[in-house]
């Protein structure tokens, strides 16, 4: 299966701290995307990194991609209570997007 | 605002009673997707339309069908819902295929309960 595995499955941190989530996958990809999902809602696209890119930034988000290790990480700096959500990595292979297992992030005020 | 709309947000049906979920988009995107997401799991792609071309996932049960009568609308039909079909159903769109730089835009989802 191409499905990504995310680590950790759940993460609780204090507001203001940084949160790091990791994603591993199995085969070559076209790109990798990160999405956020608030409880019981749809997913929101956060950032896309192409297979020939190594790092991207968007506001407080930093994504890295290591294609040799088939892994990616999402860093959220200076976390806020509103960042509490589930975060999914998703890999694109041949036009198909496959989601990872997700990390449940809880920010403690 | 351009968006993806799903109706209804909550749907209750009886075991074996056909149900239709609706999705519409104002983004004028070529591709529309349906995902099934069970509690605490990743969304699972059921099928997608690239314009009028229907693409079914190999492991999508025959019980699930879809229609896209025009660019804006896409429907998910569950012919005989079972208890195992209770889930959140997510509709998404993308401007074009995903191999390049296209992201998906998701609707808020329809939570289906089967009694």
């Amino acid at each position: 299966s191409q499905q990504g595995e995310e680590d950790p499955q759940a993460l609780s941190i204090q507001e203001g701290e940084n949160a790091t989530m990791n994603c591993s996958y199995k085969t070559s990809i076209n790109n990798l995307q990160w999405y956020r999902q608030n409880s019981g809602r749809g997913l929101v696209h956060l950032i896309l990194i192409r297979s020939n890119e190594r790092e991207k930034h968007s506001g407080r988000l930093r994504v890295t991609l290591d294609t040799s290790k088939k892994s990616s990480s999402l860093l959220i700096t200076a976390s806020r209570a509103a960042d509490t959500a589930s975060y999914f990595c998703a890999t694109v292979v041949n036009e198909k997007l496959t989601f990872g297992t997700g990390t449940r992030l809880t920010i403690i005020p | 605002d351009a968006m993806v709309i799903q109706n209804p947000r909550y749907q209750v049906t009886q075991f074996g009673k056909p149900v239709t979920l609706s999705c519409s988009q104002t983004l004028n995107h070529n591709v529309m997707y349906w995902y099934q997401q069970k509690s605490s799991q990743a969304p699972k792609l059921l099928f997608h339309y690239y314009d009028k071309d229907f693409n079914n996932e190999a492991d999508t049960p025959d019980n699930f069908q879809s229609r896209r009568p025009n660019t804006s609308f896409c429907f998910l039909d569950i012919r005989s819902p079972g208890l195992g079909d209770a889930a959140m159903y997510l509709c998404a769109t993308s401007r074009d295929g995903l191999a390049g730089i296209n992201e998906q835009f998701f609707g808020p989802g329809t939570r289906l309960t089967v009694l």
Side-chain angles (χ1 to χ4, degrees):
Chain A
S1 166
Q2 176 58 40
Q3 185 183 46
E5 297 288 331
E6 293 188 57
D7 173 56
Q9 289 187 330
L11 178 63
S12 292
I13 60 172
Q14 294 290 135
E15 190 168 19
E17 292 181 341
N18 296 342
T20 299
M21 289 159 270
N22 301 296
C23 170
S24 61
Y25 56 92
K26 296 180 180 177
T27 67
S28 296
I29 60 173
N30 298 114
N31 64 63
L32 185 145
Q33 304 181 24
W34 285 89
Y35 288 80
R36 184 186 74 228
Q37 185 176 36
N38 290 88
S39 182
R41 305 297 298 274
L43 288 89
V44 175
H45 180 265
L46 296 176
I47 199 163
L48 181 154
I49 186 165
R50 287 183 276 190
S51 60
N52 60 354
E53 297 176 313
R54 292 296 166 259
E55 186 172 313
K56 284 192 81 169
H57 297 255
S58 177
R60 293 183 296 113
L61 306 180
R62 173 178 169 254
V63 168
T64 63
L65 179 65
D66 187 335
T67 53
S68 66
K69 294 181 179 178
K70 293 186 173 57
S71 67
S72 174
S73 67
L74 170 66
L75 168 67
I76 303 174
T77 61
S79 63
R80 305 168 182 170
D83 294 330
T84 293
S86 292
Y87 291 81
F88 292 91
C89 71
T91 53
V92 175
V93 178
N94 295 331
E95 304 288 348
K96 180 179 174 180
L97 188 77
T98 304
F99 285 90
T101 51
T103 293
R104 176 68 192 168
L105 176 64
T106 302
I107 307 301
I108 304 166
Chain B
D1 287 341
M3 58 176 58
V4 181
I5 302 160
Q6 290 188 246
N7 285 306
R9 295 291 310 280
Y10 300 91
Q11 176 73 56
V12 180
T13 191
Q14 291 181 327
F15 183 95
K17 184 175 181 181
V19 65
T20 295
L21 308 182
S22 170
C23 177
S24 64
Q25 54 130 341
T26 61
L27 298 161
N28 203 32
H29 282 175
N30 288 322
V31 194
M32 295 187 77
Y33 310 80
W34 280 104
Y35 290 86
Q36 179 193 64
Q37 186 180 26
K38 297 188 176 180
S39 181
S40 300
Q41 294 185 20
K44 178 180 179 296
L45 181 65
L46 295 174
F47 26 57
H48 74 277
Y49 275 94
Y50 194 114
D51 195 10
K52 296 179 181 179
D53 294 331
F54 178 69
N55 298 273
N56 197 30
E57 292 300 301
D59 56 354
T60 297
D62 292 340
N63 198 26
F64 291 87
Q65 304 285 317
S66 186
R67 297 169 283 136
R68 188 178 186 187
N70 54 52
T71 300
S72 301
F73 284 86
C74 194
F75 300 98
L76 170 61
D77 300 308
I78 308 176
R79 293 193 295 188
S80 182
L83 298 179
D85 297 328
M88 175 77 86
Y89 290 88
L90 297 164
C91 175
T93 72
S94 65
R95 180 182 302 280
D96 213 320
L98 298 175
I101 59 170
N102 290 295
E103 62 191 81
Q104 288 191 347
F105 294 79
F106 280 82
T110 294
R111 183 166 297 282
L112 177 68
T113 300
V114 182
L115 301 177

